[in-house]
């Protein structure tokens, strides 16, 4: 019935005819002898054509899901966005042509992410358009990803009003989701973007909710990230005590994450060993049962009983939580932030502040390159001393700021870190924007 089968059947008949004359077989196709026109295959019926298109579509879907998407993921992780974009644009064209809505939305979001990786927000919005239009029409939890990417793109373009529109749609979509990690991630993104554009009063409640979600879910990364931005927002609101509390919780989340990763790794190995033993025992017992009952079933004339005696499959091994990796750099920044908050609380908190500075410097020296990380801590310390040097009573803090910036400049030159050299030089020149320091 298929075109290939029909062609094969026709070829077989031609061979029989040419071989019917006493063993001599002509190599000419049937119907192509002298004075005859070459035969052509019968045209495909609409049903055959539809079946062929379906097979082509299924093969391309398989290729995209099993070959293209893993390759795109690898390319984007390596920062090879140009090559990833080529694959994704081909995939978008295919998904659009065959009206594969879910695949089209997914590929459009990935394409927009790749363009954002190239710092091309306009192109990102163009690539995102199919998914974003669908999100605006349908809403619901599926709209979370398109609206979040659109908000980031408008933030990069500096269009704060459109960013806010996308964030409102994002939060609305998140409230309809039953996926708590997805909700937490949406709250975190919204809070971070609002913080970045200076709307700290709107950012703090969202960041607090994201931190609470992270704590409930045991997502240490979400909790730490939310507390980090919340602390910065609270300090800009001139609330150093609340900022200190936020950063203290960030530090605790990072430390808890390290402890949990070690505990889970150990427990995971023990659980795997136990469950492997249980699985092996179940297989042996199940095999014996199938052998005994299977023999009885054959004797009784039933061949299906043995299949029904197979043991129930064990639950799969539980997945381990996502590790935070090496948190020393993040803990270093957290201690630096806590130093700043403590210093702004006044002379009574000075001793506690200095402890956090020393802890930050100790962690910086464990990182590589040590000079660059230590220079960054001293720049942060200079900013803190500068913020604390208001009024005549804080005259000494200005001198401390100069010493911190001088130390930062020395280390930054050793590390060849141009951005830190410039920051230290601005600090020594008193060319500092207080609001910018608190971002």
């Amino acid at each position: 019935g298929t075109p290939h089968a029909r062609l094969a059947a026709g070829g077989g008949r031609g061979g029989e005819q040419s071989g019917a004359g006493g063993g001599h077989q002509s190599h000419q196709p049937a119907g192509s002898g002298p004075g005859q026109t070459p035969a052509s295959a019968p045209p495909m019926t609409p049903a055959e054509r539809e079946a062929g298109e379906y097979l082509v579509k299924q093969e391309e879907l398989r290729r995209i899901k099993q070959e293209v998407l893993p390759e795109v993921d690898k390319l984007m992780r390596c920062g090879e966005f140009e090559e990833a974009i080529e694959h994704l644009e081909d995939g978008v064209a295919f998904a659009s042509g065959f009206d594969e809505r879910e695949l089209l939305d997914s590929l459009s979001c990935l394409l927009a992410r790749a363009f954002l990786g190239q710092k091309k927000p306009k192109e990102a919005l163009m690539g995102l358009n199919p998914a974003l239009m669908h999100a605006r029409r349908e809403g619901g939890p599926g709209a979370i990803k398109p609206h979040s990417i659109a908000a980031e793109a408008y933030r990069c373009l500096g269009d704060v009003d459109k960013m806010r529109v996308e964030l409102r749609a994002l939060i609305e979509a998140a409230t309809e989701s039953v996926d708590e990690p997805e909700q937490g991630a949406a709250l975190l993104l919204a809070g971070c973007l609002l913080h970045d554009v200076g709307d700290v009063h709107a950012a703090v409640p969202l960041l607090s909710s994201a931190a609470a979600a992270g704590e409930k879910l045991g997502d240490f990364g979400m909790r730490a990230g939310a507390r980090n931005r919340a602390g910065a927002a609270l300090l800009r609101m001139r609330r150093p005590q609340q900022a200190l509390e936020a950063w203290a919780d960030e530090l605790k989340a990072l430390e808890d994450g390290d402890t949990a990763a070690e505990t889970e790794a150990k427990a995971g190995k023990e659980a795997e060993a136990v469950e492997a033993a249980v699985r092996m025992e179940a297989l042996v017992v199940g095999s014996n049962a199938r052998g005994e009952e299977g023999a009885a079933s054959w004797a009784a004339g039933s061949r299906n009983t043995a299949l029904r005696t197979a043991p129930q499959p064990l639950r799969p091994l539980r997945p381990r939580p996502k590790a935070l990796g090496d948190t020393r750099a993040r803990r270093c920044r957290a201690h630096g932030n806590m130093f700043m908050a403590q210093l702004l609380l006044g002379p009574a908190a000075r001793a506690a502040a200095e402890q956090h500075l020393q802890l930050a410097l100790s962690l910086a020296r464990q990182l590589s390159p040590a000079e660059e990380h230590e220079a960054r801590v001293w720049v942060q310390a200079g900013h803190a001393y500068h913020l604390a040097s208001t009024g005549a009573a804080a005259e000494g803090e200005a001198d401390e700021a100069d010493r911190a910036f001088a130390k930062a400049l020395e280390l930054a030159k050793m590390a060849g870190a141009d951005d830190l050299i410039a920051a230290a030089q601005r600090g020594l020149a008193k060319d500092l924007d207080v609001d910018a320091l608190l971002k």
Side-chain angles (χ1 to χ4, degrees):
T2 66
H4 291 90
R6 291 171 60 175
L7 288 172
R13 287 192 296 271
E16 290 168 4
Q17 291 170 359
S18 62
H24 175 70
Q25 294 189 2
S26 169
H27 294 286
Q28 291 181 330
S32 62
Q36 294 180 336
T37 57
S40 60
M44 286 192 292
T45 66
E48 289 173 336
R49 187 177 296 107
E50 183 179 347
E53 290 175 353
Y54 176 80
L55 291 175
V56 169
K57 174 183 173 180
Q58 293 304 309
E59 171 57 23
E60 184 63 10
L61 283 172
R62 183 206 63 77
R63 192 184 71 84
I64 289 174
K65 293 176 180 179
Q66 297 182 14
E67 298 175 21
V68 174
L69 288 178
E71 178 66 15
V72 164
D73 180 66
K74 184 173 72 173
L75 290 169
M76 290 180 68
R77 288 177 186 275
C78 297
E80 300 290 338
F81 297 112
E82 192 65 40
E83 190 174 346
I85 286 168
E86 291 179 11
H87 289 300
L88 290 167
E89 286 178 334
D90 290 343
V92 165
F94 165 80
S96 178
F98 281 93
D99 198 25
E100 285 288 326
R101 183 75 256 175
E102 186 176 347
L103 179 62
L104 178 60
D105 288 350
S106 178
L107 293 174
S108 297
C109 289
L110 283 171
L111 181 59
R113 283 282 180 211
F115 278 124
L116 284 178
Q118 290 185 320
K119 304 190 186 306
K120 295 180 178 179
K122 287 184 180 179
E123 289 83 352
L125 288 169
M126 291 175 62
L128 182 66
N129 192 59
L132 187 58
M133 292 301 101
H134 186 245
R136 288 173 178 168
R137 285 194 306 270
E138 302 297 329
I144 290 176
K145 187 179 291 184
H147 285 306
S148 67
I149 297 172
E152 290 184 67
Y154 283 123
R155 165 70 183 95
C156 293
L157 288 170
D159 194 333
V160 177
D161 290 337
K162 288 185 178 179
M163 183 200 79
R164 290 181 193 278
V165 170
E166 296 300 334
L167 287 181
R168 282 194 291 271
L170 169 64
I171 297 302
E172 183 179 345
T175 58
E176 298 180 36
S177 174
V178 295
D179 186 331
E180 291 184 329
E182 191 174 52
Q183 285 182 327
L187 292 168
L188 178 57
L189 174 66
C192 288
L193 290 178
L194 289 169
H195 167 270
D196 291 347
V197 299
D199 193 351
V200 292
H201 290 86
V204 167
L206 293 170
L207 292 168
S208 296
S209 297
E215 186 170 12
K216 178 182 177 182
L217 295 166
D219 188 330
F220 301 105
M222 180 185 293
R223 176 181 157 199
R227 291 301 188 197
N228 173 271
R229 292 300 185 91
L234 288 163
L235 201 64
R236 291 182 71 184
M237 294 163 68
R238 304 301 192 270
R239 299 180 186 175
Q241 180 60 49
Q242 289 176 273
L244 177 64
E245 292 167 2
W247 283 325
D249 192 56
E250 176 199 6
L251 184 62
K252 187 175 188 306
L254 294 171
E255 292 171 344
D256 288 350
D258 284 345
T259 302
E262 293 173 3
T263 303
E264 284 291 335
K266 182 179 179 181
K269 290 180 181 178
E270 292 174 354
E272 284 180 358
V274 171
E275 293 204 25
V278 172
R279 285 171 185 269
M280 182 59 68
E281 182 179 354
L283 288 172
V284 171
V285 171
S287 177
N288 291 339
R290 286 194 298 274
E292 295 167 2
E293 295 192 25
S297 300
W298 276 101
S302 171
R303 303 186 181 187
N304 297 322
T305 308
L307 299 177
R308 294 197 297 270
T309 63
Q312 292 295 315
L314 295 174
R315 63 180 176 82
L317 296 176
R318 61 178 179 175
R320 297 179 189 174
K322 184 179 180 181
L324 291 180
D326 189 349
T327 64
R328 286 178 297 177
R330 295 176 70 179
R331 286 187 283 126
C332 176
R333 288 192 296 273
H335 279 297
N337 287 332
M338 293 175 73
F339 164 70
M340 180 181 290
Q342 291 273 20
L343 200 63
L344 294 176
L345 287 175
R350 179 63 183 262
E354 292 295 337
Q355 287 182 351
H356 285 295
L357 177 58
Q358 293 307 314
L359 287 168
L361 290 169
S362 175
L363 285 165
R365 292 172 188 133
Q366 298 174 29
L367 300 168
S368 180
E371 293 84 0
E372 181 176 340
H373 288 280
E374 192 175 351
R376 197 174 300 280
V377 172
W378 282 114
V379 166
Q380 190 176 18
H383 291 160
Y385 285 126
H386 174 78
L387 291 171
S389 64
T390 55
E395 198 66 39
E397 306 293 8
D399 294 337
E400 291 285 1
D402 287 342
R403 282 192 284 271
F405 286 128
K407 183 67 174 175
L409 182 59
E410 177 187 354
L411 289 163
K413 287 180 177 179
M414 292 171 61
D418 293 338
D419 60 327
L420 293 173
I421 291 172
Q425 289 174 336
R426 285 195 300 272
L428 289 169
K430 305 293 189 290
D431 180 19
L432 296 170
D433 180 350
V434 172
D435 286 335
L437 299 182
L438 296 176
K439 285 186 178 179

